[in-house]
Amino acid sequence: MAPRPRARSTEPSCSVTALLRASGRGDADSFAALYDEVAPRVHGVVLRILRDAHQAEEVTQEVFLQVWRTAAQFDPARGSALTWVMTLAHRRAVDRVRSSESGRRRDTEHVELDVRAPYDETATAVHATLEGERVRAALATLTAVQRQAIELAYFGGHTHVEVSRLLQIPLGTAKTRIRDGMLQLRDLLTVGAAEPA
């Protein structure tokens, strides 16, 4: 829950120092008073950095948990108690921003990796080579006229009419050679694919 806004204290900063030092000695009442005194300022700084009310509340609570655990480490020779608490708040908020950005980057990278279809180029090339060898071996079993018609149609990209013209045979004969050759290839390649490796 966000700290209640309250009017800024007119007491000297030494009261914050005294409350922080007493908190460092385990005085829960002093810690509660310290919270009431500085929580609105801590929450304000955190909210300005995070720009998210829910996260600001969480981080404010984390800051005060850290204050309770480390209050004994406060050294007044290095600055005021309020500055010490506000520095903890600022660092904690910046850490949350960095952590959130890092999480978003990881999520984005993960999604991008999922979108890119991972494959093994070597395995793909080997598979294509093996398939090519199977097709060439199957083509070798065809009659010369079937093989010639299929090569013109499928590897040469010619239509049935063009195959008949190139081979100087009737269109029906060209179609029959192509159809019969393809049926034989299908049977050979289907049997080859079904055989265990």
Side-chain angles (χ1 to χ4, degrees), residues 132 135-160 162-164 166-167 174 177-179 181-182 185:
V135 170
R136 279 191 292 278
L139 277 169
T141 66
L142 301 179
T143 65
V145 292
Q146 286 175 335
R147 186 170 53 251
Q148 189 179 31
I150 287 175
E151 285 175 349
L152 286 171
Y154 290 96
F155 301 121
H158 295 287
T159 66
H160 290 166
E162 291 171 334
V163 170
S164 72
L166 288 167
L167 295 178
R177 288 179 184 176
I178 292 169
R179 185 194 70 234
M182 291 303 294
L185 283 176

Side-chain angles (χ1 to χ4, degrees), residues 26-106:
D27 184 341
D29 291 335
S30 294
F31 179 72
L34 176 67
Y35 180 90
D36 287 343
E37 181 67 29
V38 299
R41 292 181 234 190
V42 167
H43 185 260
V45 165
V46 170
L47 184 58
R48 276 196 303 276
I49 294 169
L50 296 176
R51 294 189 170 116
D52 179 287
H54 179 69
Q55 286 197 49
E57 290 174 13
E58 286 181 3
V59 171
T60 298
Q61 296 304 317
E62 290 171 7
V63 168
F64 279 97
L65 181 60
Q66 186 178 5
V67 168
W68 174 250
R69 289 178 175 166
T70 62
Q73 296 173 11
F74 168 66
D75 180 2
R78 299 180 66 187
S80 74
L82 182 59
T83 300
W84 185 78
V85 172
M86 297 306 284
T87 300
L88 292 179
H90 185 270
R91 287 180 183 160
R92 179 71 64 152
V94 169
D95 287 347
R96 175 65 68 96
V97 169
R98 288 178 180 152
S99 175
S100 295
E101 287 176 356
S102 176
R104 277 194 296 273
R105 273 196 305 274
R106 277 194 308 273

